[in-house]
Amino acid sequence: VSANGIGRSGAHGDFGVGWKSLRVLQKLKTMYKKFYGLTRNPFELSPDPYFFCQTPRHAEALAHLAYGVLCRKGFVVVTGEVGTGKTLLVRCLLEALTKNKVAFAYMYNPMISVSEFFSHLINEFGLLPSQIRTKSDALARLNNFLMERARHGLTTALVIDEAQLLSWELLEEIRLLTNLETTKHKLLQIVLVGQPEFEQKLDSQQLRQLKQRIALRCSLKPLEMKELQRYIRRRLELAGGNSHASSIFPDEAIDMIQRFSRGIPRLVN
């Protein structure tokens, strides 16, 4: 009995019941995964490139990103509603850039100052921050780094997720980075990925110069019914699903998932 006279046994009893329920659920989970042949969870929320499902729109967006960077087109922009797969697309792009020996700086939280931005760039590219004290130092060092890579036929990229959070000041600094160029191409390829609000920002009068420099621009949309069917079945297949797995979600269930999720992959998962 506690100091206020309330017995604690009830709490311990509830904990015991909860623990037993958890163990039962774990056993059921193991049993179902074994029955359906699943070797991993097919519908996690984390953006795992292994589960990238190439719907027409997502495949087109990834092709735009890869083409824009590898062919040194300068600015590439992809937008999409929350949960439509933008970060997964970025992860797939980064894997492709690594395979093609493209050096890249990745920024997933752009709510930073201009000085922090340049410090991040310098660190991501492995340059010595001790030699850089001012913005002019950072730009000179960055330009030398990019020119050296270009002389060896190598590509360099800056990839920014959550681009709708970029300040006006930082967007202007990013635009000015495209002035780092040779007579043939841009030295730094820039990928901006953000929510629909970013499109509105780009369409503003204040960013008309940046908008004019965008070489490729596309957007991700929610999945339509046929795409959703392929999405669910493809993820089950990638998770190791056997012939039983195809019966987990009949057409009626997929129709209900479509209505409740509105075709947004994160909500589907």
Side-chain angles (χ1 to χ4, degrees):
V1 179
S2 64
N4 60 12
I6 299 176
R8 293 183 179 274
S9 59
H12 286 295
D14 291 341
F15 179 78
V17 171
W19 182 248
K20 288 179 181 177
S21 299
L22 181 61
R23 290 175 64 184
V24 170
L25 287 173
Q26 287 176 332
K27 287 181 179 179
L28 285 172
K29 182 179 177 181
T30 302
M31 180 184 73
Y32 281 120
K33 286 178 74 173
K34 184 177 180 180
F35 177 77
Y36 291 114
L38 300 174
T39 56
R40 56 200 299 176
N41 296 331
F43 299 105
E44 296 286 5
L45 294 179
S46 56
D48 184 353
Y50 177 79
F51 282 107
F52 180 65
C53 184
Q54 295 200 29
T55 66
R57 286 187 184 275
H58 287 76
E60 179 187 6
L62 184 57
H64 270 76
L65 291 175
Y67 173 77
V69 173
L70 297 177
C71 293
R72 302 178 183 178
K73 294 299 181 181
F75 263 117
V76 184
V77 172
V78 173
T79 55
E81 191 53 75
V82 174
T84 50
K86 298 184 299 299
T87 299
L88 176 56
L89 200 67
V90 168
R91 297 281 176 86
C92 292
L93 172 66
L94 297 183
E95 283 195 350
L97 297 185
T98 300
K99 290 177 182 176
N100 286 277
K101 298 181 180 180
V102 175
F104 60 83
Y106 173 49
M107 185 176 296
Y108 56 87
N109 180 13
M111 294 182 67
I112 56 178
S113 66
V114 171
S115 60
E116 289 171 332
F117 170 73
F118 281 106
S119 294
H120 181 79
L121 273 186
I122 295 302
N123 286 325
E124 284 282 283
F125 288 133
L127 306 178
L128 294 175
S130 59
Q131 299 176 354
I132 299 168
R133 297 180 181 178
T134 65
K135 176 183 166 183
S136 297
D137 291 339
L139 285 171
R141 187 72 183 90
L142 183 61
N143 186 59
N144 291 338
F145 170 74
L146 296 174
M147 287 293 291
E148 183 64 23
R149 287 186 58 81
R151 276 194 289 270
H152 289 85
L154 299 172
T155 304
T156 312
L158 167 62
V159 181
I160 301 179
D161 201 356
E162 303 292 352
Q164 75 280 355
L165 299 176
L166 288 164
S167 66
W168 298 99
E169 183 183 16
L170 199 47
L171 278 167
E172 177 62 11
E173 292 292 344
I174 291 170
R175 180 188 72 81
L176 291 173
L177 286 177
T178 60
N179 290 334
L180 302 174
E181 59 186 353
T182 66
T183 55
K184 295 181 179 180
H185 56 75
K186 303 294 184 184
L187 292 176
L188 183 64
Q189 315 313 310
I190 300 174
V191 175
L192 300 176
V193 181
Q195 294 172 19
E197 306 91 89
F198 186 53
E199 289 184 350
Q200 299 168 14
K201 229 174 187 178
L202 290 174
D203 290 335
S204 67
Q205 184 72 5
Q206 193 171 343
L207 292 179
R208 63 189 184 281
Q209 286 182 302
L210 188 152
K211 183 180 178 181
Q212 289 173 2
R213 299 189 183 196
I214 296 173
L216 297 167
R217 186 173 174 177
C218 62
S219 63
L220 297 178
K221 303 295 183 183
L223 303 175
E224 297 178 358
M225 177 58 76
K226 289 184 178 179
E227 292 176 326
L228 179 61
Q229 290 174 334
R230 289 196 296 270
Y231 175 84
I232 290 174
R233 285 163 186 163
R234 179 58 178 161
R235 288 191 74 109
L236 287 170
E237 179 185 330
L238 289 170
N242 55 28
S243 57
H244 296 294
S246 60
S247 64
I248 298 177
F249 298 102
D251 291 340
E252 295 80 4
I254 294 177
D255 182 63
M256 188 173 294
I257 292 170
Q258 170 72 20
R259 284 190 283 117
F260 280 104
S261 69
R262 305 185 305 280
I264 295 175
R266 184 181 296 163
L267 297 180
V268 171
N269 291 350

